[in-house]
Short mmCIF file of all heavy atoms in Angstrom, two decimals:
data_model
loop_
_atom_site.label_atom_id
_atom_site.label_comp_id
_atom_site.label_asym_id
_atom_site.label_seq_id
_atom_site.Cartn_x
_atom_site.Cartn_y
_atom_site.Cartn_z
N ALA O 1 -12.89 0.88 7.57
CA ALA O 1 -12.87 -0.28 8.55
C ALA O 1 -12.94 0.32 9.95
O ALA O 1 -13.65 -0.25 10.80
CB ALA O 1 -11.50 -1.07 8.36
N LYS O 2 -12.18 1.45 10.19
CA LYS O 2 -12.22 2.03 11.57
C LYS O 2 -13.67 2.55 11.78
O LYS O 2 -14.15 2.40 12.97
CB LYS O 2 -11.18 3.26 11.58
CG LYS O 2 -9.81 2.80 11.51
CD LYS O 2 -8.87 3.97 11.57
CE LYS O 2 -7.43 3.57 11.56
NZ LYS O 2 -6.55 4.75 11.52
N LEU O 3 -14.24 3.15 10.86
CA LEU O 3 -15.67 3.59 11.03
C LEU O 3 -16.59 2.42 11.40
O LEU O 3 -17.54 2.50 12.27
CB LEU O 3 -16.27 4.37 9.84
CG LEU O 3 -15.71 5.74 9.48
CD1 LEU O 3 -16.10 6.17 8.26
CD2 LEU O 3 -15.97 6.67 10.70
N ASN O 4 -16.40 1.33 10.64
CA ASN O 4 -17.17 0.20 10.78
C ASN O 4 -17.04 -0.42 12.29
O ASN O 4 -17.91 -1.14 12.71
CB ASN O 4 -16.93 -0.93 9.78
CG ASN O 4 -18.01 -1.98 9.65
OD1 ASN O 4 -19.06 -1.69 9.54
ND2 ASN O 4 -17.49 -3.24 9.76
N ALA O 5 -15.85 -0.20 12.81
CA ALA O 5 -15.59 -0.80 14.14
C ALA O 5 -15.98 0.08 15.31
O ALA O 5 -16.37 -0.43 16.43
CB ALA O 5 -14.09 -1.14 14.28
N SER O 6 -16.14 1.39 15.05
CA SER O 6 -16.27 2.32 16.27
C SER O 6 -17.22 3.48 16.08
O SER O 6 -17.76 4.03 17.03
CB SER O 6 -14.88 2.90 16.69
OG SER O 6 -14.30 3.64 15.53
N SER O 7 -17.58 3.82 14.87
CA SER O 7 -18.53 4.99 14.68
C SER O 7 -19.93 4.58 15.05
O SER O 7 -20.43 3.53 14.78
CB SER O 7 -18.46 5.32 13.07
OG SER O 7 -19.55 6.26 12.89
N LYS O 8 -20.48 5.59 15.69
CA LYS O 8 -21.87 5.36 16.15
C LYS O 8 -22.82 5.33 14.98
O LYS O 8 -23.85 4.50 15.05
CB LYS O 8 -22.31 6.66 16.98
CG LYS O 8 -21.63 6.72 18.40
CD LYS O 8 -22.20 7.89 19.24
CE LYS O 8 -21.43 7.97 20.50
NZ LYS O 8 -21.88 9.13 21.25
N VAL O 9 -22.55 6.03 13.86
CA VAL O 9 -23.50 5.95 12.74
C VAL O 9 -23.12 4.75 11.88
O VAL O 9 -24.11 4.08 11.36
CB VAL O 9 -23.13 7.29 11.84
CG1 VAL O 9 -24.01 7.17 10.59
CG2 VAL O 9 -23.55 8.53 12.62
N PHE O 10 -21.92 4.34 11.73
CA PHE O 10 -21.61 3.28 10.63
C PHE O 10 -21.17 1.92 11.33
O PHE O 10 -20.95 1.04 10.64
CB PHE O 10 -20.44 3.75 9.69
CG PHE O 10 -20.83 4.91 8.80
CD1 PHE O 10 -20.47 6.10 9.10
CD2 PHE O 10 -21.61 4.55 7.70
CE1 PHE O 10 -20.81 7.23 8.18
CE2 PHE O 10 -21.89 5.52 6.84
CZ PHE O 10 -21.56 6.94 6.97
N ARG O 11 -21.14 1.94 12.52
CA ARG O 11 -20.57 0.64 13.25
C ARG O 11 -21.48 -0.63 12.81
O ARG O 11 -22.66 -0.59 13.04
CB ARG O 11 -20.72 0.84 14.78
CG ARG O 11 -20.09 -0.40 15.51
CD ARG O 11 -20.05 -0.13 17.01
NE ARG O 11 -19.49 -1.27 17.72
CZ ARG O 11 -19.31 -1.25 19.06
NH1 ARG O 11 -19.57 -0.18 19.82
NH2 ARG O 11 -18.69 -2.20 19.60
N GLY O 12 -20.72 -1.49 12.20
CA GLY O 12 -21.40 -2.74 11.84
C GLY O 12 -22.25 -2.66 10.53
O GLY O 12 -22.90 -3.58 10.16
N ARG O 13 -22.20 -1.50 9.97
CA ARG O 13 -23.05 -1.34 8.83
C ARG O 13 -22.32 -1.44 7.44
O ARG O 13 -22.91 -1.46 6.35
CB ARG O 13 -23.77 0.03 8.82
CG ARG O 13 -24.69 0.25 10.01
CD ARG O 13 -25.19 1.66 10.02
NE ARG O 13 -26.19 1.78 11.20
CZ ARG O 13 -27.56 1.60 11.12
NH1 ARG O 13 -28.10 1.21 9.94
NH2 ARG O 13 -28.39 1.75 12.16
N ILE O 14 -21.05 -1.46 7.45
CA ILE O 14 -20.22 -1.43 6.19
C ILE O 14 -19.70 -2.77 5.95
O ILE O 14 -19.08 -3.45 6.70
CB ILE O 14 -19.00 -0.52 6.27
CG1 ILE O 14 -19.35 0.95 6.75
CG2 ILE O 14 -18.19 -0.51 4.99
CD1 ILE O 14 -18.25 1.94 6.89
N ASP O 15 -20.21 -3.30 4.69
CA ASP O 15 -19.73 -4.60 4.29
C ASP O 15 -18.40 -4.53 3.70
O ASP O 15 -18.34 -4.32 2.46
CB ASP O 15 -20.79 -5.27 3.37
CG ASP O 15 -20.56 -6.68 3.07
OD1 ASP O 15 -19.49 -7.24 3.32
OD2 ASP O 15 -21.47 -7.35 2.55
N LEU O 16 -17.38 -4.80 4.39
CA LEU O 16 -16.02 -4.63 3.89
C LEU O 16 -15.59 -5.77 2.86
O LEU O 16 -14.55 -5.68 2.34
CB LEU O 16 -14.98 -4.56 5.04
CG LEU O 16 -15.21 -3.41 6.00
CD1 LEU O 16 -14.34 -3.64 7.23
CD2 LEU O 16 -14.84 -2.09 5.22
N LYS O 17 -16.43 -6.70 2.78
CA LYS O 17 -16.15 -7.81 1.87
C LYS O 17 -16.77 -7.55 0.36
O LYS O 17 -16.53 -8.45 -0.50
CB LYS O 17 -16.75 -9.20 2.40
CG LYS O 17 -16.03 -9.57 3.71
CD LYS O 17 -16.58 -10.88 4.13
CE LYS O 17 -15.83 -11.41 5.37
NZ LYS O 17 -16.48 -12.71 5.91
N ARG O 18 -17.51 -6.49 0.30
CA ARG O 18 -18.10 -6.21 -1.03
C ARG O 18 -17.95 -4.67 -1.41
O ARG O 18 -18.82 -3.89 -1.44
CB ARG O 18 -19.64 -6.45 -0.97
CG ARG O 18 -19.89 -7.98 -0.80
CD ARG O 18 -21.29 -8.31 -1.14
NE ARG O 18 -22.25 -7.70 -0.13
CZ ARG O 18 -23.63 -7.98 -0.05
NH1 ARG O 18 -24.02 -8.81 -0.92
NH2 ARG O 18 -24.41 -7.37 0.78
N ILE O 19 -16.66 -4.40 -1.69
CA ILE O 19 -16.27 -3.07 -2.03
C ILE O 19 -15.89 -2.99 -3.43
O ILE O 19 -15.00 -3.75 -4.08
CB ILE O 19 -15.07 -2.51 -1.17
CG1 ILE O 19 -15.43 -2.58 0.29
CG2 ILE O 19 -14.62 -1.23 -1.64
CD1 ILE O 19 -14.33 -2.20 1.24
N GLY O 20 -16.48 -1.98 -4.17
CA GLY O 20 -16.07 -1.69 -5.51
C GLY O 20 -15.62 -0.38 -5.65
O GLY O 20 -15.64 0.49 -4.79
N ILE O 21 -14.79 -0.05 -6.77
CA ILE O 21 -14.17 1.25 -6.96
C ILE O 21 -14.46 1.68 -8.44
O ILE O 21 -14.35 0.83 -9.27
CB ILE O 21 -12.66 1.22 -6.62
CG1 ILE O 21 -12.09 2.55 -6.90
CG2 ILE O 21 -11.88 0.08 -7.50
CD1 ILE O 21 -10.60 2.68 -6.38
N LEU O 22 -14.76 2.94 -8.71
CA LEU O 22 -14.85 3.50 -9.90
C LEU O 22 -14.18 4.89 -10.00
O LEU O 22 -14.09 5.52 -8.94
CB LEU O 22 -16.37 3.53 -10.41
CG LEU O 22 -17.27 4.45 -9.56
CD1 LEU O 22 -17.16 5.94 -10.27
CD2 LEU O 22 -18.70 3.95 -9.64
N GLY O 23 -13.80 5.27 -11.14
CA GLY O 23 -13.07 6.60 -11.28
C GLY O 23 -13.29 7.09 -12.80
O GLY O 23 -13.52 6.25 -13.63
N HIS O 24 -13.08 8.30 -12.92
CA HIS O 24 -13.16 8.98 -14.27
C HIS O 24 -11.81 9.54 -14.67
O HIS O 24 -11.06 10.17 -13.79
CB HIS O 24 -14.26 10.12 -14.10
CG HIS O 24 -14.15 10.91 -15.36
ND1 HIS O 24 -14.01 12.28 -15.22
CD2 HIS O 24 -14.52 10.76 -16.59
CE1 HIS O 24 -14.12 12.90 -16.44
NE2 HIS O 24 -14.44 11.88 -17.30
N SER O 25 -11.44 9.41 -15.89
CA SER O 25 -10.13 9.95 -16.46
C SER O 25 -8.92 9.47 -15.63
O SER O 25 -8.85 8.20 -15.60
CB SER O 25 -10.28 11.50 -16.23
OG SER O 25 -9.23 12.13 -17.07
N ARG O 26 -8.20 10.23 -15.04
CA ARG O 26 -7.09 9.68 -14.17
C ARG O 26 -7.55 8.76 -13.17
O ARG O 26 -6.97 7.70 -12.78
CB ARG O 26 -6.25 10.77 -13.53
CG ARG O 26 -5.32 11.48 -14.49
CD ARG O 26 -4.42 12.42 -13.66
NE ARG O 26 -3.78 13.30 -14.55
CZ ARG O 26 -3.21 14.45 -14.21
NH1 ARG O 26 -3.28 14.93 -13.01
NH2 ARG O 26 -2.50 15.10 -15.09
N GLY O 27 -8.73 9.15 -12.55
CA GLY O 27 -9.36 8.20 -11.53
C GLY O 27 -9.71 6.85 -12.17
O GLY O 27 -9.71 5.87 -11.47
N GLY O 28 -10.14 6.88 -13.41
CA GLY O 28 -10.36 5.64 -14.11
C GLY O 28 -9.29 4.64 -14.19
O GLY O 28 -9.30 3.52 -14.17
N LEU O 29 -8.05 5.25 -14.40
CA LEU O 29 -6.81 4.52 -14.40
C LEU O 29 -6.37 4.10 -13.04
O LEU O 29 -5.72 3.12 -12.82
CB LEU O 29 -5.69 5.25 -15.10
CG LEU O 29 -5.87 5.54 -16.69
CD1 LEU O 29 -4.81 6.48 -17.15
CD2 LEU O 29 -5.76 4.18 -17.39
N ALA O 30 -6.74 4.81 -12.06
CA ALA O 30 -6.42 4.50 -10.64
C ALA O 30 -7.30 3.32 -10.13
O ALA O 30 -6.77 2.68 -9.33
CB ALA O 30 -6.55 5.68 -9.81
N ALA O 31 -8.38 3.18 -10.69
CA ALA O 31 -9.30 2.12 -10.24
C ALA O 31 -8.80 0.81 -10.29
O ALA O 31 -8.55 -0.06 -9.45
CB ALA O 31 -10.74 2.30 -10.73
N PRO O 32 -8.39 0.39 -11.63
CA PRO O 32 -7.78 -0.95 -11.84
C PRO O 32 -6.40 -1.03 -11.09
O PRO O 32 -6.14 -2.24 -10.72
CB PRO O 32 -7.64 -1.09 -13.28
CG PRO O 32 -7.63 0.31 -13.86
CD PRO O 32 -8.52 1.11 -12.85
N MET O 33 -5.62 0.04 -10.95
CA MET O 33 -4.43 -0.03 -10.24
C MET O 33 -4.68 -0.35 -8.84
O MET O 33 -3.95 -1.20 -8.22
CB MET O 33 -3.61 1.28 -10.43
CG MET O 33 -2.24 1.20 -9.72
SD MET O 33 -1.33 2.76 -9.86
CE MET O 33 -0.88 2.63 -11.61
N ALA O 34 -5.73 0.26 -8.25
CA ALA O 34 -5.96 0.00 -6.79
C ALA O 34 -6.49 -1.44 -6.58
O ALA O 34 -6.20 -2.05 -5.71
CB ALA O 34 -7.11 0.90 -6.32
N CYS O 35 -7.33 -1.91 -7.69
CA CYS O 35 -7.65 -3.36 -7.54
C CYS O 35 -6.54 -4.35 -7.63
O CYS O 35 -6.44 -5.35 -7.02
CB CYS O 35 -8.73 -3.68 -8.79
SG CYS O 35 -10.42 -3.15 -8.46
N GLN O 36 -5.56 -4.03 -8.53
CA GLN O 36 -4.53 -4.94 -8.75
C GLN O 36 -3.64 -5.01 -7.48
O GLN O 36 -3.05 -6.00 -7.15
CB GLN O 36 -3.54 -4.43 -9.98
CG GLN O 36 -2.63 -5.41 -10.48
CD GLN O 36 -1.19 -5.07 -9.92
OE1 GLN O 36 -0.98 -3.97 -9.43
NE2 GLN O 36 -0.26 -5.83 -10.27
N ARG O 37 -3.59 -3.89 -6.71
CA ARG O 37 -2.68 -3.83 -5.59
C ARG O 37 -3.40 -4.20 -4.17
O ARG O 37 -2.78 -4.37 -3.24
CB ARG O 37 -2.10 -2.47 -5.44
CG ARG O 37 -1.16 -2.15 -6.70
CD ARG O 37 -0.55 -0.86 -6.62
NE ARG O 37 0.34 -0.53 -7.83
CZ ARG O 37 1.15 0.46 -8.02
NH1 ARG O 37 1.13 1.38 -7.09
NH2 ARG O 37 1.84 0.53 -9.03
N ASP O 38 -4.75 -4.12 -4.23
CA ASP O 38 -5.44 -4.26 -2.99
C ASP O 38 -6.63 -5.29 -3.23
O ASP O 38 -7.60 -4.87 -3.77
CB ASP O 38 -5.95 -2.91 -2.44
CG ASP O 38 -6.46 -3.01 -1.02
OD1 ASP O 38 -6.91 -4.04 -0.56
OD2 ASP O 38 -6.41 -1.99 -0.34
N PRO O 39 -6.53 -6.48 -2.79
CA PRO O 39 -7.64 -7.46 -3.04
C PRO O 39 -8.92 -7.17 -2.32
O PRO O 39 -9.87 -7.85 -2.49
CB PRO O 39 -7.03 -8.80 -2.52
CG PRO O 39 -5.87 -8.38 -1.45
CD PRO O 39 -5.42 -7.03 -1.99
N ARG O 40 -8.90 -6.22 -1.40
CA ARG O 40 -10.14 -5.75 -0.77
C ARG O 40 -11.06 -5.29 -1.75
O ARG O 40 -12.41 -5.21 -1.57
CB ARG O 40 -9.88 -4.87 0.44
CG ARG O 40 -9.08 -5.43 1.45
CD ARG O 40 -8.78 -4.43 2.63
NE ARG O 40 -7.95 -3.42 2.11
CZ ARG O 40 -7.53 -2.36 2.93
NH1 ARG O 40 -7.95 -2.23 4.28
NH2 ARG O 40 -6.77 -1.48 2.36
N PHE O 41 -10.62 -4.70 -2.82
CA PHE O 41 -11.57 -4.28 -3.93
C PHE O 41 -12.06 -5.43 -4.71
O PHE O 41 -11.22 -6.30 -5.15
CB PHE O 41 -10.91 -3.34 -4.85
CG PHE O 41 -10.56 -1.92 -4.19
CD1 PHE O 41 -9.24 -1.65 -3.90
CD2 PHE O 41 -11.59 -1.00 -3.94
CE1 PHE O 41 -8.99 -0.35 -3.30
CE2 PHE O 41 -11.29 0.20 -3.26
CZ PHE O 41 -9.99 0.49 -2.92
N LYS O 42 -13.27 -5.59 -4.90
CA LYS O 42 -13.85 -6.79 -5.65
C LYS O 42 -14.32 -6.63 -7.03
O LYS O 42 -14.59 -7.46 -7.72
CB LYS O 42 -15.02 -7.40 -4.78
CG LYS O 42 -14.75 -7.71 -3.35
CD LYS O 42 -13.54 -8.65 -3.23
CE LYS O 42 -13.20 -8.93 -1.74
NZ LYS O 42 -11.97 -9.84 -1.70
N ALA O 43 -14.35 -5.22 -7.43
CA ALA O 43 -14.71 -5.03 -8.82
C ALA O 43 -14.33 -3.49 -9.15
O ALA O 43 -14.26 -2.74 -8.18
CB ALA O 43 -16.20 -5.23 -9.06
N CYS O 44 -14.04 -3.20 -10.37
CA CYS O 44 -13.50 -1.87 -10.71
C CYS O 44 -14.05 -1.35 -12.09
O CYS O 44 -14.19 -2.13 -13.03
CB CYS O 44 -12.04 -1.70 -10.61
SG CYS O 44 -11.07 -2.99 -11.49
N ALA O 45 -14.34 -0.12 -12.03
CA ALA O 45 -14.81 0.53 -13.27
C ALA O 45 -13.94 1.74 -13.68
O ALA O 45 -13.66 2.65 -12.94
CB ALA O 45 -16.35 0.98 -13.03
N ASN O 46 -13.62 1.81 -14.95
CA ASN O 46 -12.86 2.94 -15.44
C ASN O 46 -13.71 3.70 -16.45
O ASN O 46 -14.17 3.26 -17.48
CB ASN O 46 -11.62 2.33 -16.12
CG ASN O 46 -10.83 3.51 -16.86
OD1 ASN O 46 -11.22 4.70 -17.00
ND2 ASN O 46 -9.61 3.13 -17.36
N MET O 47 -14.00 4.93 -16.17
CA MET O 47 -14.86 5.87 -17.01
C MET O 47 -13.96 6.74 -17.76
O MET O 47 -13.51 7.83 -17.43
CB MET O 47 -15.87 6.65 -16.16
CG MET O 47 -16.72 5.65 -15.38
SD MET O 47 -18.15 6.53 -14.57
CE MET O 47 -19.11 5.11 -14.06
#
């Protein structure tokens, strides 16, 4: 969000309303946990 607001490269280019998360192994378990706790994630994948 900070990059989207001020970075020369990314300013206005990041769609913060369409964020997904995926992870593998422990990261796969972290993905649904992150979704459950943070509604900014809109979809999650556990590998």
Side-chain angles (χ1 to χ4, degrees):
K2 291 180 180 179
L3 289 174
N4 196 50
S6 59
S7 167
K8 291 182 179 179
V9 176
F10 291 105
R11 185 174 182 178
R13 295 176 180 269
I14 303 176
D15 188 345
L16 297 170
K17 294 181 180 180
R18 295 193 295 184
I19 299 177
I21 180 172
L22 64 88
H24 170 237
S25 196
R26 279 185 192 164
L29 290 171
M33 182 179 289
C35 275
Q36 192 257 357
R37 298 181 179 186
D38 193 332
R40 293 178 295 178
F41 293 108
K42 303 304 181 184
C44 49
N46 174 351
M47 297 188 172

